[in-house]
Amino acid sequence: MILNKLLNTSKYCPINNKKNTKEYFVSLLTLKGQYKNSNYYITNHCMAYINENYLKLKAGYLFPEIGRRVREFAAANPGKDIIRMGIGDVTQPLTPTILKAFHDGVEEMGHKSTFKGYGPEQGYDFLREAIAENDYKLRGVNISADEIFVSDGSKCDTGNIQEIFGDNNIIAICDPVYPVYADTTVMSGKTGACQANGYFDNIVYMPCNEANGFIPELPATRPDLIFLCFPNNPTGTVATKEVLKLWVDYAIKNKSIILYDAAYEAYITEDTIPHSIFEIEGAKSVAIEFRSFSKTAGFTGTRCAFTVIPNELFAYDLKGNQVAVKPLWMRRHTTKFNGVSYPVQKAAAAIYSEEGKKEVKGLIAYYLENARIIRESLSALGYTVFGGINAPYVWVKTKNNLTSWKFFDKLLNDANVVGTPGSGFGPAGEGYFRFSAFADRENVIKAMARIKNLTY
Ligand code: MLT
């Protein structure tokens, strides 16, 4: 029946003026496993097709969209001093020890005896060993260098990781959420259409709101892959050991995998808050962790991050056989990625030297002080604020029930301050606004003074 439909509805190709043959459609449907009973519809196959999942995405990616609006405003209002507290992009330069290591790495590339071509795709041993030792062993977590993959960013890794998991997986994400998890889930074809309320079919949304302290509850519908991010972007909240234990136990019971984004762990100030999901017993059999040097040491422009996939993490093939996950990521990484440049990895390794550690602590303290100023200034002005204690983001409720984008416009027009509308992180972010603490101190203070003068 499907074959007849295809033959009857097939159009003449505008290029070669021919119709496809019955044999063509049979082989096409056989290839797709849809010959017998599918409703699959295709017109004459004589053109390049796009990945239709991209058409499901409603708006442009959040941060370029904000950038576009700010550029438009700046063009229409030349000379305005715009303070940017939108995208979480660092402003303070690389610290001396890291910079020196970077220079040394570049210098080595200029001499025959120390020059390096392709490096190991998963990262140089000196960096992976420093990560294993400092980020894990010193915190009592046994992660070995061979479980660490150095990359050019957590944004890329959290998006790309989906490729090694089947498209039939159901994904759970928080709402609001870092948009990369949602958008790449859509791009990979794991969702249905976007509904009028902004939610995609086939995603399990986990609402995070004031009532639950912006900590998601365990989902009633079982997902296969669960994105969690702590300290959280955008709400700035953190998960205790007890909360993470609930998630690990849930994942073990449900044969799910947690994709844990810990890009902001360096901002944790409270001793009892875990920095890694692997601090939780059992997590190595159910979690992948993403870490980044971007916000830790000012590498947003330099690019360096890493992903940890434990040897004991398994997923399943369609017959129900266990398959180790790490070799699949290794296969992907070695096929599609040629490694982070040597000088950048050398600079990243310097973060773990005694001097490097001290300097990076100073950077983080600087941004956390900004966060404190934002929190306290806005609270004093009667705004309800969250986050900003263990995270570089302050999550604020708008005043007078303004929508997030209305508040964005008001702030841009009346105070010339840029932030990120909460609704850009998902429908549950409506009515909220995110301030990034990565601006210069002087600008943070100026921005708060301007917000004080806003009239409603
Ligand atoms: C943010 O502002 O949410 C981050 O800068 C985005 C990112 O790290 O990719």
Side-chain angles (χ1 to χ4, degrees), residues 61 63 86-89 155 178-180 233 264 295 393 420 425 434:
Y61 184 58
F63 296 107
I87 189 165
D89 192 6
K155 169 171 160 179
Y178 176 43
V180 168
N233 180 11
Y264 299 95
K295 317 294 161 81
Y393 296 123
T420 308
F425 296 102
R434 191 195 77 175

Side-chain angles (χ1 to χ4, degrees), residues 117-124 150-152 332-342 345:
Y118 292 127
E121 291 88 346
Q122 65 275 36
Y124 283 99
V150 175
S151 77
D152 60 342
R332 194 248 169 227
H333 214 61
T334 49
T335 305
K336 293 195 173 182
F337 187 61
N338 261 335
V340 173
S341 79
Y342 171 72
Q345 292 194 56

Side-chain angles (χ1 to χ4, degrees), residues 256-448:
S256 306
I257 289 179
I258 298 173
L259 303 172
Y260 193 74
D261 186 348
Y264 299 95
E265 62 76 33
Y267 288 82
I268 293 172
T269 54
E270 291 169 274
D271 288 345
T272 54
I273 303 294
H275 286 239
S276 164
I277 192 155
F278 300 126
E279 290 176 47
I280 311 302
E281 201 193 327
K284 284 171 77 179
S285 66
V286 288
I288 293 176
E289 181 162 287
F290 304 92
R291 294 270 194 109
S292 171
F293 299 111
S294 286
K295 317 294 161 81
T296 307
F299 274 55
T300 51
T302 313
R303 310 306 309 151
C304 199
F306 62 93
T307 289
V308 181
I309 307 189
N311 290 322
E312 51 265 67
L313 181 70
F314 291 89
Y316 298 85
D317 67 15
L318 288 177
K319 295 190 187 107
N321 300 313
Q322 276 199 329
V323 180
V325 174
K326 193 186 95 174
L328 301 185
W329 185 246
M330 175 74 105
R331 186 70 172 83
R332 194 248 169 227
H333 214 61
T334 49
T335 305
K336 293 195 173 182
F337 187 61
N338 261 335
V340 173
S341 79
Y342 171 72
V344 169
Q345 292 194 56
K346 194 149 175 166
I351 295 169
Y352 297 106
S353 65
E354 277 320 303
E355 277 310 304
K357 280 182 188 171
K358 266 192 235 150
E359 292 168 12
V360 160
K361 249 190 179 163
L363 269 184
I364 289 162
Y366 177 87
Y367 293 129
L368 279 173
E369 175 60 9
N370 285 350
R372 186 195 64 76
I373 294 169
I374 299 168
R375 264 181 73 85
E376 293 185 2
S377 310
L378 295 178
S379 291
L381 296 174
Y383 290 89
T384 309
V385 299
F386 305 92
I389 292 173
N390 294 293
Y393 296 123
V394 180
W395 185 243
V396 182
K397 222 172 169 171
T398 66
K399 271 196 186 167
N400 288 7
N401 291 325
L402 283 188
T403 66
S404 303
W405 278 107
K406 284 247 158 66
F407 189 68
F408 173 89
D409 288 338
K410 184 170 179 60
L411 219 58
L412 182 59
N413 287 300
D414 300 354
N416 306 148
V417 172
V418 181
T420 308
S423 57
F425 296 102
E430 183 57 276
Y432 289 89
F433 203 75
R434 191 195 77 175
F435 285 93
S436 146
F438 289 116
D440 282 324
R441 176 72 42 77
E442 191 193 326
N443 279 337
V444 168
I445 293 170
K446 220 191 303 178
M448 293 303 115

Side-chain angles (χ1 to χ4, degrees), residues 172-207:
I173 56 172
C174 293
D175 177 25
V177 73
Y178 176 43
V180 168
Y181 318 149
D183 287 5
T184 56
T185 299
V186 175
M187 289 170 177
S188 71
K190 295 187 184 70
T191 74
C194 184
Q195 299 306 322
N197 58 7
Y199 291 120
F200 284 90
D201 291 337
N202 294 350
I203 288 186
V204 174
Y205 289 94
M206 305 182 289

